[in-house]
Amino acid sequence: MSVNELYQQMIIDHSKNPRNYGRLDNFTHTSQGNNPLCGDKIDVSLIVQDNVIKDLKWEGTGCAISQASASLMSTLVKGKSVDEFKEMFTKFRELMTIKGYEAEQLGKLKVFSGVQGFPSRVKCASIAWHAINNSLANKETVAK
Ligand code: ZN
């Protein structure tokens, strides 16, 4: 199966059955990502303890790519340390923007090399990642 076929399959699978969808009641960090170019919105809520992302949920509206990327990201990031998240985010951004990037180390994320060369799609695919990154940067975010 080609990366392109895997990409299509992953988008359909995660759009139909989004993982970790919803909002945590007792989150420690939260943020909203917006992509006005496409109309995507993603809300993330996280529980971070001892520098580890213990739990994470997201909800949102928008195109299939933004929703599928949020869903896949949530399965990969849950249980990872904040540093591991940042490392993955950096690699993910490189994957989407650098042609011929060595994607082996990214596992399932490599299907997103399908957005290379489509800047508007890069935004869709990365909105959830940016939302997590922003929520982690905003240490003073207070739970309601
Ligand atoms: Zn989109």
Side-chain angles (χ1 to χ4, degrees):
M1 204 181 278
S2 73
V3 166
N4 220 27
E5 284 165 324
L6 284 170
Y7 173 65
Q8 299 294 347
Q9 207 175 60
M10 187 278 303
I11 301 277
I12 292 165
D13 173 36
H14 281 269
S15 301
K16 278 186 180 164
N17 303 298
R19 321 296 202 274
N20 301 303
Y21 194 87
R23 185 149 182 90
L24 294 167
D25 292 329
N26 48 344
F27 60 83
T28 59
H29 295 65
T30 186
S31 184
Q32 186 185 60
N34 275 300
N35 176 16
L37 288 177
C38 180
D40 310 317
K41 282 191 172 70
I42 304 272
D43 273 293
V44 296
S45 51
L46 294 77
I47 297 175
V48 181
Q49 274 168 5
D50 303 326
N51 227 31
V52 172
I53 300 169
K54 298 270 191 194
D55 206 355
L56 138 76
K57 282 193 189 293
W58 66 277
E59 54 188 6
T61 54
C63 68
I65 291 175
S66 67
Q67 307 295 297
S69 177
S71 176
L72 179 60
M73 179 277 297
S74 72
T75 67
L76 297 172
V77 164
K78 204 162 145 175
K80 296 284 194 303
S81 72
V82 170
D83 288 344
E84 284 171 320
F85 164 79
K86 288 188 172 158
E87 207 173 299
M88 284 169 77
F89 185 34
T90 300
K91 285 180 186 165
F92 185 57
R93 278 186 296 188
E94 288 171 351
L95 168 73
M96 288 190 300
T97 51
I98 301 170
K99 279 229 152 62
Y101 181 74
E102 187 50 67
E104 301 311 312
Q105 52 194 324
L106 284 172
K108 287 178 182 172
L109 285 177
K110 69 179 174 216
V111 298
F112 279 101
S113 62
V115 302
Q116 277 179 358
F118 302 95
S120 60
R121 287 304 178 206
V122 169
K123 286 209 166 59
C124 298
S126 57
I127 175 174
W129 290 83
H130 283 289
I132 298 279
N133 200 44
N134 290 342
S135 78
L136 291 171
N138 183 7
K139 293 186 181 109
E140 298 307 314
T141 301
V142 177
K144 274 183 268 183

